[in-house]
Amino acid sequence: MRHDLPPLNALRAFEATARLNSVSQAAEHLHVTHGAVSRQLKVLEEHLGISLFIKDGRGLKLTDAGLRLRDASADAFERLRTVCAELTQSTADAPFVLGCSGSLLARWFIPRLGRLNADLPDLRLHLSAGEGDLDPRRPGLDALLVFAEPPWPADMQVYELASERIGPVMSPRFGGFTRLRDAPANALLGEPLLHTTSRPQAWPTWAQQNALEPQALKFGQGFEHLYYLLEAAVAGLGVAIAPEPLVTEDLRAGRLVAPWGFSETPARLALWLPKRAADGRARQLAQWLRHELNPSD
């Protein structure tokens, strides 16, 4: 006796045909051709080794076996429809929990949160801040917004949003502002640079991209996180280095200036979520983020 289930498509074709009592209507319901439904019914009968329909004039009539399978499949598919609807509703009602660094949250996301809520009113977004300890593989987090370099983890669905661009920034309040603002980039080699332990390669990467020797860099005050580094720069404590999106508002308001511009790095700002937990809300959010980061595209 065979215990394996018939092909699902064949069962779907049978359930629709038996429920609607018509191959044509089943085909219309399933958005396939009449011939496709007929072939699936034949596959099912061959799999079971019995006849499920007999000719009845111009139509079809269920055999006793067909009647038994109709009742069983109708109940099974109805239960599946109910559970899937409940799961979909549960997902739609639950907040979408997005993790990102505290600096990205405070300096880029929060200033745009009102616009996001207006543009995506059905997206119940909950933001979770962390520094290097956020992982969407763990329960409680649906996705992660992060600066990282490819290749991407094999178990992650990744939406690339924008290239990372970094550059030195300083405040007009900084004592060396007048001396440095029109100076070439190599003037920074003698400057005690503000830096962060969370992105130790930021300054060396920038130096290499500007034809400067990373070993010639001189580091001054260090900070644990990028957010504190940028606050120190705004306060006029020195020259810091930052991803462009995180200082956009400060540049626009004149709190910071970027005399040497920004250079592209190998990293990308990307939205990560586990492949096993694909969520249509992530795609919607990724589209919105991509537009915010690249408004001219």
Side-chain angles (χ1 to χ4, degrees), residues 36-110:
V37 173
S38 296
R39 286 192 294 274
Q40 290 298 333
L41 295 178
K42 184 178 180 181
V43 167
L44 182 59
E45 289 183 328
E46 290 177 349
H47 181 94
L48 298 173
I50 56 176
S51 296
L52 300 171
F53 295 94
I54 57 174
K55 290 284 186 178
D56 184 24
R58 290 190 172 183
L60 294 174
K61 181 180 179 180
L62 286 164
T63 64
D64 289 343
L67 290 170
R68 288 183 60 192
L69 187 58
R70 178 198 64 185
D71 294 341
S73 63
D75 180 62
F77 276 94
E78 184 57 34
R79 289 174 61 190
L80 283 170
R81 291 187 191 98
T82 299
V83 171
C84 288
E86 290 173 352
L87 291 174
T88 300
Q89 187 60 44
S90 175
T91 300
D93 290 343
F96 186 83
V97 183
L98 175 66
C100 64
S101 69
S103 53
L104 185 57
L105 175 62
R107 292 191 150 266
W108 191 86
F109 219 116
I110 287 178

Side-chain angles (χ1 to χ4, degrees), residues 1-292:
M1 179 183 291
R2 299 183 65 171
H3 295 285
D4 54 315
L5 282 172
L8 180 59
N9 283 342
L11 285 171
R12 289 181 68 233
F14 170 79
E15 187 273 337
T17 302
R19 173 164 46 86
L20 300 169
N21 198 33
S22 167
V23 174
S24 297
Q25 290 186 40
E28 183 177 349
H29 174 75
L30 297 173
H31 305 289
V32 296
T33 64
H34 184 287
V37 173
S38 296
R39 286 192 294 274
Q40 290 298 333
L41 295 178
K42 184 178 180 181
V43 167
L44 182 59
E45 289 183 328
E46 290 177 349
H47 181 94
L48 298 173
I50 56 176
S51 296
L52 300 171
F53 295 94
I54 57 174
K55 290 284 186 178
D56 184 24
R58 290 190 172 183
L60 294 174
K61 181 180 179 180
L62 286 164
T63 64
D64 289 343
L67 290 170
R68 288 183 60 192
L69 187 58
R70 178 198 64 185
D71 294 341
S73 63
D75 180 62
F77 276 94
E78 184 57 34
R79 289 174 61 190
L80 283 170
R81 291 187 191 98
T82 299
V83 171
C84 288
E86 290 173 352
L87 291 174
T88 300
Q89 187 60 44
S90 175
T91 300
D93 290 343
F96 186 83
V97 183
L98 175 66
C100 64
S101 69
S103 53
L104 185 57
L105 175 62
R107 292 191 150 266
W108 191 86
F109 219 116
I110 287 178
R112 292 162 176 80
L113 196 52
R115 188 155 61 243
L116 183 146
N117 291 334
D119 292 343
L120 303 177
D122 296 330
L123 179 65
R124 293 182 55 210
L125 187 65
H126 178 80
L127 296 164
S128 178
E131 299 292 342
D133 57 347
L134 297 173
D135 189 338
R137 301 176 184 87
R138 298 175 184 170
L141 201 65
D142 293 307
L144 178 66
L145 185 63
V146 61
F147 285 107
E149 291 186 24
W152 309 122
D155 61 343
M156 286 287 165
Q157 180 177 357
V158 177
Y159 295 93
E160 291 192 22
L161 305 173
S163 300
E164 182 187 51
R165 287 164 49 82
I166 62 172
V169 294
M170 60 181 176
S171 168
R173 299 163 61 186
F174 174 48
F177 177 78
T178 302
R179 170 173 50 85
L180 290 173
R181 64 179 175 182
D182 296 319
N186 61 14
L188 293 179
L189 293 179
E191 199 67 30
L193 303 170
L194 303 179
H195 61 100
T196 173
T197 55
S198 64
R199 295 291 300 275
Q201 290 304 311
W203 274 116
T205 297
W206 175 84
Q208 288 178 330
Q209 292 174 333
N210 286 269
L212 302 176
E213 287 294 332
Q215 296 82 359
L217 296 170
K218 178 181 177 183
F219 294 106
Q221 179 71 52
F223 298 87
E224 185 177 2
H225 300 306
L226 184 57
Y227 178 80
Y228 306 135
L229 172 73
L230 296 180
E231 288 299 303
V234 171
L237 299 184
V239 182
I241 191 158
E244 186 176 14
L246 271 60
V247 293
T248 299
E249 300 301 321
D250 296 294
L251 295 173
R252 185 177 294 123
R255 292 187 293 268
L256 292 174
V257 295
W260 304 279
F262 295 88
S263 303
E264 188 170 314
T265 79
R268 302 286 186 270
L269 180 60
L271 186 67
W272 292 17
L273 70 155
K275 287 182 178 178
R276 58 174 171 75
D279 192 322
R281 295 176 297 175
R283 181 169 57 255
Q284 186 182 34
L285 178 60
Q287 291 173 345
W288 187 89
L289 291 169
R290 193 174 288 122
H291 176 74
E292 283 291 312

